[in-house]
Amino acid sequence: GESVGLHLPTLSVQEGDNSIINCAYSNSASDYFIWYKQESGKGPQFIIDIRSNMDKRQGQRVTVLLNKTVKHLSLQIAATQPGDSAVYFCAENQPPNFGNEKLTFGTGTRLTIIP
Amino acid sequence: EAGVVQSPRYKIIEKKQPVAFWCNPISGHNTLYWYLQNLGQGPELLIRYENEEAVDDSQLPKDRFSAERLKGVDSTLKIQPAELGDSAVYLCASSSRAGGTDTQYFGPGTRLTVL
């Protein structure tokens, strides 16, 4: 079936710089997207979400951008900190499922913050 | 507020043996999810409960996997018999309800190694 994928498996960023993590999805009908952060030995932690009727949403130090034309999702983290080092997953909901009923997760990108 | 609790955190068994994982969701959360996470991959949904009812078990390998959520609170996921390919992290998550954008909170997972 269709799945969510990521462009890069690893990303290293200097502390204080901004980082951008990308995600490509293949199902144009997907209507809800979430970014999760997973630290070693822990479960995924919700960061930010966005619905398909939006193209941008901002949180604290994070921004999610959605480009439905090219089916691309990105997570921008501003002023990265050592605690941002983790694996980041994008997840999508594909109708007829609704909201977070049955999320499809991507493979993940490992972000490493260099002190 | 206590998070999702899972036990054991680690389990090592020989193939063909049975194994069980336990999950205690966040108090008041009606929806409970079990996921399987292979190394380097995103979580994959196995089963979703609404209270005590399994509303989506379409991705649960029912020949060897079973789950229950008696009284709509704690849940147990069982594998019998375990196979080498079952080695993975088994994550439990809960949310106040499904079908909306209520955040899924994940537990730390149980890392299963089948020898």
Side-chain angles (χ1 to χ4, degrees), chain A residues 32 36 38 41-46 49 51 89 97-108, chain B residues 9 33 35 37 40-43 45 48 56 58-59 91 98-104 106-108:
Chain A
Y32 177 57
Y36 284 91
Q38 187 171 26
K42 298 183 179 180
Q45 177 186 5
F46 173 93
D49 60 358
R51 291 197 171 279
F89 293 97
N97 298 300
F98 181 72
N100 58 15
E101 284 182 346
K102 196 167 188 173
L103 298 174
T104 301
F105 285 77
T107 302
Chain B
R9 291 294 314 277
Y33 312 76
Y35 289 87
Q37 185 175 26
Q41 303 293 317
L45 181 67
R48 171 170 64 91
D56 185 355
S58 58
Q59 299 185 138
L91 293 164
T101 57
D102 295 353
T103 301
Q104 287 190 34
F106 284 82

Side-chain angles (χ1 to χ4, degrees), chain A residues 2-15:
Chain A
E2 297 183 282
S3 62
V4 176
L6 293 175
H7 294 307
L8 298 172
T10 62
L11 178 65
S12 295
V13 176
Q14 203 73 34
E15 181 179 354

Side-chain angles (χ1 to χ4, degrees), chain B residues 42-94:
Chain B
E44 301 171 32
L45 181 67
L46 291 173
I47 189 168
R48 171 170 64 91
Y49 281 92
E50 294 291 341
N51 298 304
E52 67 276 6
E53 181 182 1
V55 295
D56 185 355
D57 63 356
S58 58
Q59 299 185 138
L60 188 72
K62 299 181 185 61
D63 56 336
R64 297 184 300 107
F65 286 65
S66 64
E68 61 182 11
R69 193 185 183 196
L70 301 177
K71 302 180 182 179
V73 181
D74 294 359
S75 178
T76 303
L77 177 69
K78 298 178 181 178
I79 308 175
Q80 182 172 11
E83 298 179 351
L84 295 176
D86 296 331
S87 294
V89 174
Y90 291 83
L91 293 164
C92 179
S94 71

